[in-house]
Amino acid sequence: MQRNITLRRCLLLCLLAVTTCMARAANGEVLTIMTSGSPVSIALAEHPVITYSNNTLHITTAMTSIDIPVSDITGINFLDPTGIRPVIIPDFQAENGELRFSKLPAGSKVDVFAVGGTKLLTTAVDNDGQATVSLDRLPKGAVIVRTATQTIKITNKK
């Protein structure tokens, strides 16, 4: 129990340090603290001052002052209202003797390499962003699969 409290305190201190740095360069970002009740959102442009004492997170801005018990915090997010979204990592499944990819850029390629670097095969991604590679065409053992957005290592155990 004491270890959990110490870990929470360390995480909160790290949050304080990161938030202080981000608040100085804020250009529309929002800090959202998820709680067991409702989320609390603070614009970093308001230069929040975040402190911690008595197992409570204290957030003060020129417009508001909020106290959140640490035991109520379930998560912390930084959101950017500019509309820029994170990169979507393609879905990848290996089943029924096939590697199946989705959410890839249409017209891109899926390349499969031996661990030594020799290209074993290339498969085109269709207009729906999907591609399939048959494991029957791959040698037994480790291979490297490269898409336009990620590289993974798989082991073919056929």
Side-chain angles (χ1 to χ4, degrees):
M1 184 67 169
Q2 182 63 30
R3 186 173 183 205
N4 268 351
I5 292 171
T6 303
L7 181 59
R8 278 185 186 246
R9 286 180 181 161
C10 287
L11 290 172
L12 286 172
L13 289 174
C14 290
L15 169 67
L16 292 174
V18 168
T19 303
T20 302
C21 293
M22 289 187 72
R24 293 192 197 317
N27 59 358
E29 291 93 354
V30 175
L31 169 67
T32 302
I33 300 173
M34 312 307 274
T35 67
S36 53
S38 58
V40 175
S41 295
I42 298 108
L44 294 181
E46 293 180 27
H47 302 286
V49 175
I50 302 174
T51 57
Y52 171 79
S53 65
N54 298 324
N55 289 323
T56 302
L57 195 63
H58 308 282
I59 305 170
T60 306
T61 70
M63 305 188 66
T64 189
S65 179
I66 302 166
D67 291 335
I68 305 171
V70 172
S71 59
D72 288 352
I73 297 174
T74 60
I76 298 170
N77 293 319
F78 289 100
L79 302 175
D80 183 353
T82 63
I84 298 171
R85 302 286 181 240
V87 174
I88 296 172
I89 297 175
D91 287 338
F92 165 72
Q93 294 178 336
E95 60 185 18
N96 299 327
E98 294 180 328
L99 303 176
R100 293 189 194 126
F101 296 89
S102 60
K103 299 182 185 175
L104 291 170
S108 64
K109 297 178 181 177
V110 175
D111 294 314
V112 181
F113 298 90
V115 175
T118 304
K119 185 184 283 189
L120 301 173
L121 63 93
T122 297
T123 300
V125 176
D126 67 19
N127 290 334
D128 294 328
Q130 299 181 9
T132 302
V133 175
S134 172
L135 293 173
D136 292 337
R137 298 179 61 192
L138 301 179
K140 186 176 181 178
V143 293
I144 308 298
V145 180
R146 183 178 68 190
T147 69
T149 57
Q150 70 178 349
T151 301
I152 58 174
K153 180 179 92 172
I154 65 160
T155 302
N156 189 9
K157 296 180 180 180
K158 69 171 191 167

